């Protein structure tokens, strides 16, 4: 999956002030990513607030991004959750012809055992017409997919091609990198440790900060993949404060505030999320202007 090496971004779903999906803003955001060097786009990941979208709204988001992208970049679709049977139904009934892979989060809330996680992804692998990127994000799911489980899945199913590893644990990521089968990609899901993961043998990132500063972040990733360490770390430290700030009061409220400063969209999120505080909004605006 060479198309997933480099920088992917988890697209937000922009809303108007009446909380409807802002199609024009979404088109602008897609073009902003493409014009500034992003390598691929992820639709309806956690950052896209899919838990708050109706089925019709999800279809609208997919249609808008596919049309705006116009086959310029690879596309990855988020299809994940804790209802294995429903995911299998979606995989076998949805038109996935526009996508290069799916991103599937480890089951959340139910906190399955490692065997339960394995069996869940076994069903997905047996029914997915597309390559699968596993997604491990314990801070959101409530359970950690251990390296042993990731490696078992990677070795047992050829269509499980990568993991978005977002445990925030560089040691855990290195264990997967060290023991993974050839060709399996370890993709950072944590913006702050993306560069160390790449230098340890990772393949890139699916980013949030990259959606606000695509040129700078994708340049950092490319420099890291080229082993131009000093130049890459200059960009890392330029962006490090911003990485902290955009997650300080929840995602995607922070990155939507950056988009507002950039003139790409409004900063509207849907409940139970709320906008960042006025103090944080000012910090983000000041930092955005400083970086640009």
């Amino acid at each position: 999956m060479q198309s997933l090496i480099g920088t992917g971004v988890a697209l937000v779903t922009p809303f108007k002030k009446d909380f409807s999906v802002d199609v024009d803003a979404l088109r602008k955001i897609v073009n902003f990513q493409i014009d500034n060097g992003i390598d691929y786009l992820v639709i309806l990941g956690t950052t896209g607030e899919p838990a708050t979208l109706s089925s019709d709204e999800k279809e609208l988001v997919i249609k808008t991004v596919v049309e705006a992208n116009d086959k310029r970049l690879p596309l990855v679709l988020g299809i994940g959750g804790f209802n294995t049977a429903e995911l299998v139904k979606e995989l076998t009934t949805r038109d996935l012809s526009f996508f290069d892979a799916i991103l599937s989060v480890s089951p959340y809330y139910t906190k399955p055992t490692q065997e339960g996680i394995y069996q869940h992804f076994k069903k997905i692998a047996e029914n997915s017409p597309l390559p699968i990127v596993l997604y491990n994000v314990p801070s959101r799911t409530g359970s950690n997919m251990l390296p042993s489980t990731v490696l078992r899945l990677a070795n047992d199913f050829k269509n499980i091609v990568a993991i978005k590893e977002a445990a925030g644990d560089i040691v855990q990521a290195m264990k997967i990198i060290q023991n993974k089968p050839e060709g399996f990609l370890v993709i950072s899901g944590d913006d702050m440790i993306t560069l160390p993961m790449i230098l340890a043998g990772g393949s890139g990132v699916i980013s949030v900060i990259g959606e606000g500063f695509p040129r700078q972040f994708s340049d950092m990733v490319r420099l890291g993949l080229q082993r131009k360490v000093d130049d890459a770390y200059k960009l890392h430290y330029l962006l490090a404060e911003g990485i902290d700030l955009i997650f300080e009061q929840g995602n995607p409220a922070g990155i939507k505030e950056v988009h507002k400063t950039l003139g790409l969209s409004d900063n509207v999120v849907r409940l139970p999320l709320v906008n960042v505080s006025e103090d944080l909004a000012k910090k983000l605006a000041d930092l955005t202007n400083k970086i640009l």
Side-chain angles (χ1 to χ4, degrees), residues 183-200:
F184 185 81
L185 305 182
V186 181
I187 300 167
S188 175
D190 187 317
D191 288 337
M192 189 62 82
I193 62 172
T194 290
L195 184 53
M197 279 183 62
I198 289 172
L199 297 176

Side-chain angles (χ1 to χ4, degrees), residues 10-43:
L11 291 169
V12 301
T13 301
F15 301 121
K16 299 177 182 178
K17 290 190 181 299
D18 64 0
F19 297 101
S20 63
V21 175
D22 192 335
V23 171
D24 291 337
L26 184 53
R27 291 195 189 101
K28 285 200 293 184
I29 290 167
V30 168
N31 284 309
F32 182 64
Q33 309 310 310
I34 297 172
D35 293 345
N36 285 280
I38 292 301
D39 296 301
Y40 61 97
L41 304 172
V42 178
I43 305 173

Side-chain angles (χ1 to χ4, degrees), residues 126-203:
E126 289 172 343
N127 289 278
S128 177
L130 291 179
I132 299 157
V133 180
L134 307 173
Y135 182 15
N136 184 40
V137 56
S139 63
R140 288 184 179 272
T141 63
S143 65
N144 184 23
M145 182 161 44
L146 297 178
S148 57
T149 303
V150 175
L151 296 169
R152 184 183 173 197
L153 288 164
N155 282 298
D156 287 356
F157 303 99
K158 297 303 181 185
N159 60 340
I160 296 180
V161 299
I163 183 169
K164 178 184 176 184
E165 176 53 56
D169 184 341
I170 189 66
V171 174
Q172 178 162 301
M174 290 171 70
K175 287 179 180 177
I176 301 171
I177 292 167
Q178 180 182 10
N179 297 294
K180 68 182 181 64
E182 184 177 357
F184 185 81
L185 305 182
V186 181
I187 300 167
S188 175
D190 187 317
D191 288 337
M192 189 62 82
I193 62 172
T194 290
L195 184 53
M197 279 183 62
I198 289 172
L199 297 176
S203 303

